[in-house]
Every structure is written in C-alpha cells, then in structure tokens.
Amino acid sequence: MKYTFLLGFLFILISGWTQDFAVSRVQPIIKAHKEYTSAIPHKSIDQKNNCPPLLSNTQIPSFAFLDSLPLNPQYEEEFLALFLAQECDKLYSFLETYHHALPHYQKALRTYKLGDEYTLLPLTISGDNPSLKYLKDKSGPWQISYVTARRYGLRIDQFIDERNDIEKSSDAAAKHIQFLNEYYLNNDFLVITAFYTSVPFVNKHIAQLDTVNPSLFFEQLSPEIQGYFSYLKAWSNWLTHFKTPDHLMSVPESYWMEVIPTDTLDFSTISQFMDIPMAQIEMMNPVLIGKKALPGNQYPLYLPKEKADLFHQKYDAFLAFQKEEEIRKKKELEELRKRMESGIPDLTKYKAVTYTVKSGDVLGKIAQRNHVKVSQIKQWNHLKSDRINIGQKLVLYVPKNQTTDLPKETADNKINVKPKPAKPGKGTPQIYTVKNGESLWLIAKKFPGVSAQNIMEWNGCTDKISPGMKLKIYKP
C-alpha cells in the first residue's frame, strides 16, 4: 500500500486539528497511558534525531479488510498529529510499552494458532495499559468484559482482577478470538467488531442489515466504532512504515522485581515504610485491585528493584510497623466514632473552648453569640434539658478562624468570667410582667441597651423567674 502522503505531512507542525469524535475517543487512552508510564521509568530516546521517525519498509502482519473500509483519511491525519506532537513523545512511549508486552501477546496467540496481527488490538484498545478501566465493565490491556472474563476462568473479586494480568488476560483474549473466528467463519471484520463490542451487538446488526458486507456494515456503525477502525489502521500503517529504534524493540531488563510476602500487606503501609509512591505500587501491581499484597506466590508483589532487597531484609520490621499502623488506625476510628456520636466536628478545622456560665446566661444566648446551635451545645455537653447553672462549664466547638463572643481563654483553656459592674437605674422604671417561657435574656433583648444582669440588679433577683412576676426596667 502506498503511503506517500506521510512524507510531506511528517514535517508539518499541526497545532489545531479538528477535535472530532474519533480523536476525542482516543484521548482518555492517551491520558491513562501517560499516568501508567509516569509511574514506571521508560527508556530515553534521542527525540531530536528520531522525530519525525525514519521510514522503513518493514512488513508486519495486518488486517487486509481495513483497506476496503470507507475510512475517513482525516482521522489518521489527526491521530498522527496527536502522536507526533511534543517531539513524538506519545508515539515512542506507546511503542515501548507495545514491544515490552509483544512477546506475551505472541505466545498466547500462537498457542491458539492465531496471527500476530491481533497484537494490534490491545495497542489500540488500551495502549497496552494493564491498569486501564475505561469502557463500562471492561478492564486490562485487552479490555475484556466481566462476562467474557468469567467465561474463560479469570478471577475477579474485591482483591484480584486477572484481566489486568498480561499473561492470563492474553490467554483469555486469544481463546475468545479463536471462538469468534469459528463463530463468524474467519471474517476478520466481524471478529474484531465483536471483540470491541459484543457478539449480540454484531448479530443484531447482521439481522437488521441482512448482510455481512464490510462496507455496508461499517456505514451503519456509530462514529465511535468507525473511529476505532481508523485508529486501528493508523497503527497498522505506523508499525509498517515507521522505523522503531532498536533499543525500544528489545525486551528491557525488568525495572521491577517480584517479592513473595508471607502475610497480607497494605499498599499504603508499603508506600510509607518503603518510601515508594502509592501510584507506582498500584501501577506495578494492577492485578491486586484491593490494594493489598496477598501471601503466597500466586499473585506476587512487584516493587522497584532497588527496594526489593530492602523489603526482604527488613520484613520483620515492616510487619511490626504495619501492626503499629493497624493499632493507630483502629484507635483513630474509635476516636472518630466517639466524636461523631458526640457531634464533635473536625478538630483540624474547629477548636474547643470552655465557657463558664454566668448570671443571665441561657443556651440560646450562648449559641447565638458563638454561631452554633443549642442542640449542638446540648449534645457536646450531654445536657438533657436547656437548664444551665451559674458557674457550670460548657465546651463549645467553633471554627479556628472565627472570633467568638467568649472571654479570653486562659493557658489551660479555661475562661475567667468577671461580672460587669452594676448600672444603677435612673428615672421612673417601666413595669414588665414576665410571660410564660420567657428568660431574663429574652426580656433584655426587648429593651435596647439593657442586659439580663441589669434586670437582676434592679430587681434584686436571680435568673430564676416565673410567669406573672413584675420586673422594673429602667431606660439606659
């Protein structure tokens, strides 16, 4: 197939291609691939001398039916611009991951007498990312659905997802492709469509169209699926016509090493003790979706090489550290439970202050001054009623950045309350009759400039008042 348009196109910097449906579908794969590779170091490449990539005449197995599909050539141009941007970093990052996984793909496919062209599927579906979970219930480099995974015996539970294991998922994918080839009589177009979607999806379209002609069938597919076939063809062309640097094609010495724990270990504890970023541990161990390393060698734990030996040397110290962390977390949970039962807010944002009830105080007054609720004060202090007594200590929780109406706290977080001097009454007093449910504080609020303390001093009474009681109120 001639590919002459690339020769001129490679040297054009495209900064504003059309963001159509096809490219937008690929963006999440690129983003996830970047997150995956950022946690695992890749080989450096001389981008100055390798971008744009050199052309070669290498012929790799590809799907012949792609040439007969009415694909939009603009899609491939947009894909190409996307992958050659930023000195071809995306192209070479994908190529390195692909060539690293390629032996595992080939082994599984050849076991079931399938061609190497199927190695393009995980490259285009997931970017060879074993941790990708993008399309509905699909996961892993081959994006195998839950139903398909269970059909071929893969384990999926709260701790393990074998779809993310490159060897086990490749074996299951190869079995599924073999089944699809038999079911669709080696029609590659239907096989790949069914692999990307599902058998019921393809059968429904066959029944509606009453044909398996690739071109007619293709035209009835959604823009997303049509874009996927353009993306598949693009990678087929790139692998054929672009020269991949030799050191990217060779299988590198593994950057990580497996360790066999004899106990259940939490990723978070490993991250703390071994000083390894949590994201890196997760990316190296995509099968362990429960974020726990399990005892035994069925699902080994992978760590950076330089950390693996240290892990074995300090294994006992690690177990002791994990036990301490478990005790600490258990204690924190118990404190959190008690705090929630008492309605105590987050102490990183709130501070506790102690208030001594003074004459004339009621819960409503204290709550209003400090921007809390009466119900909160009662819950914090285990009060069964609204009744409070002079000298009683109340704990209040207020925002750390909030100024309260409380007297200044002492060093031991207690409050000294100094009574205000009496204000003598002047002139002729007004006689006020106490109504049912009223307190001195509520009555004082009715007279601007008058406090509950004033009323008690003017009438020689305490804060204990009753309905019908006559009180003298002087104007300030």
Side-chain angles (χ1 to χ4, degrees), residues 133 139 155-156 159-165 286-287 289:
K133 191 175 184 66
S139 187
R155 174 183 171 183
I156 304 174
F159 299 109
I160 300 296
D161 191 340
E162 291 185 338
R163 294 177 296 180
N164 303 345
D165 182 286
V287 178
I289 60 173

Side-chain angles (χ1 to χ4, degrees), residues 258-329:
E258 68 177 43
V259 295
I260 310 298
T262 55
D263 305 84
T264 300
L265 311 177
D266 289 329
F267 280 11
S268 59
T269 312
I270 296 172
S271 175
Q272 286 180 269
F273 187 81
M274 303 298 295
D275 192 25
I276 307 172
M278 184 72 169
Q280 189 175 24
I281 299 175
E282 292 176 7
M283 291 297 183
M284 287 185 171
N285 300 275
V287 178
L288 304 174
I289 60 173
K291 298 182 182 180
K292 292 180 182 292
L294 305 180
N297 58 3
Q298 185 177 5
Y299 302 103
L301 173 69
Y302 290 92
L303 296 176
K305 267 189 175 181
E306 69 273 13
K307 300 287 186 177
D309 290 338
L310 183 65
F311 179 82
H312 287 301
Q313 292 170 10
K314 297 191 175 182
Y315 189 74
D316 291 339
F318 173 81
L319 290 181
F321 175 77
Q322 178 166 273
K323 188 173 182 179
E324 290 176 0
E325 282 295 293
E326 290 174 352
I327 294 173
R328 181 185 64 79
K329 290 179 180 178

Side-chain angles (χ1 to χ4, degrees), residues 146-216:
Y146 177 84
V147 173
T148 302
R150 299 297 298 178
R151 176 180 181 181
Y152 296 108
L154 296 184
R155 174 183 171 183
I156 304 174
D157 54 36
Q158 60 179 326
F159 299 109
I160 300 296
D161 191 340
E162 291 185 338
R163 294 177 296 180
N164 303 345
D165 182 286
I166 190 168
E167 293 183 353
K168 293 180 179 179
S169 66
S170 295
D171 186 76
K175 289 179 181 177
H176 189 48
I177 293 170
Q178 184 187 53
F179 159 75
L180 294 174
N181 269 307
E182 294 174 355
Y183 189 81
Y184 291 114
L185 304 177
N186 296 312
N187 185 318
D188 283 337
F189 174 64
L190 297 182
V191 168
I192 294 177
T193 305
F195 188 89
Y196 184 73
T197 57
S198 67
V199 171
F201 174 87
V202 172
N203 289 349
K204 179 181 177 181
H205 277 66
I206 292 175
Q208 290 175 343
L209 298 172
D210 194 25
T211 181
V212 293
N213 179 280
S215 295
L216 296 176

Side-chain angles (χ1 to χ4, degrees), residues 280-430:
Q280 189 175 24
I281 299 175
E282 292 176 7
M283 291 297 183
M284 287 185 171
N285 300 275
V287 178
L288 304 174
I289 60 173
K291 298 182 182 180
K292 292 180 182 292
L294 305 180
N297 58 3
Q298 185 177 5
Y299 302 103
L301 173 69
Y302 290 92
L303 296 176
K305 267 189 175 181
E306 69 273 13
K307 300 287 186 177
D309 290 338
L310 183 65
F311 179 82
H312 287 301
Q313 292 170 10
K314 297 191 175 182
Y315 189 74
D316 291 339
F318 173 81
L319 290 181
F321 175 77
Q322 178 166 273
K323 188 173 182 179
E324 290 176 0
E325 282 295 293
E326 290 174 352
I327 294 173
R328 181 185 64 79
K329 290 179 180 178
K330 186 176 181 180
K331 184 178 179 181
E332 284 183 353
L333 287 174
E334 180 61 22
E335 290 176 351
L336 176 62
R337 183 187 65 79
K338 290 180 179 179
R339 183 164 62 81
M340 292 181 69
E341 287 178 353
S342 300
I344 299 173
D346 185 354
L347 295 180
T348 62
K349 299 178 182 178
Y350 290 79
K351 62 182 177 181
V353 294
T354 304
Y355 179 72
T356 304
V357 178
K358 61 182 182 292
S359 180
D361 277 342
V362 292
L363 289 182
K365 173 182 177 180
I366 298 171
Q368 186 180 48
R369 283 181 175 178
N370 296 281
H371 310 290
V372 297
K373 297 178 180 178
V374 171
S375 59
Q376 289 178 312
I377 298 178
K378 292 173 68 175
Q379 187 178 22
W380 294 335
N381 295 276
H382 308 290
L383 301 178
K384 294 182 179 180
S385 69
D386 291 351
R387 183 183 180 85
I388 52 176
N389 302 312
I390 298 174
Q392 183 177 351
K393 308 294 184 182
L394 296 177
V395 177
L396 308 179
Y397 294 92
V398 297
K400 287 186 174 181
N401 59 355
Q402 174 182 304
T403 58
T404 68
D405 193 37
L406 300 178
K408 187 176 180 181
E409 297 178 42
T410 60
D412 62 355
N413 206 35
K414 294 183 179 180
I415 299 173
N416 294 325
V417 180
K418 294 182 179 180
K420 296 179 180 179
K423 293 183 179 180
K426 294 181 181 180
T428 304
Q430 175 182 344

Side-chain angles (χ1 to χ4, degrees), residues 17-82:
W17 59 85
T18 305
Q19 290 295 322
D20 54 51
F21 199 94
V23 170
S24 63
R25 165 62 184 88
V26 175
Q27 290 284 9
I29 297 177
I30 294 176
K31 181 180 178 182
H33 184 271
K34 184 177 181 180
E35 293 172 353
Y36 171 61
T37 55
S38 66
I40 303 174
H42 274 229
K43 291 181 177 179
S44 61
I45 187 167
D46 183 2
Q47 294 175 321
K48 182 178 179 181
N49 295 321
N50 288 277
C51 189
L54 300 175
L55 299 181
S56 70
N57 294 319
T58 305
Q59 293 297 318
I60 68 163
S62 60
F63 298 104
F65 75 88
L66 290 172
D67 293 334
S68 64
L69 296 181
L71 300 173
N72 187 341
Q74 181 185 359
Y75 284 177
E76 184 173 357
E77 294 177 6
E78 293 174 3
F79 291 139
L80 186 61
L82 186 64

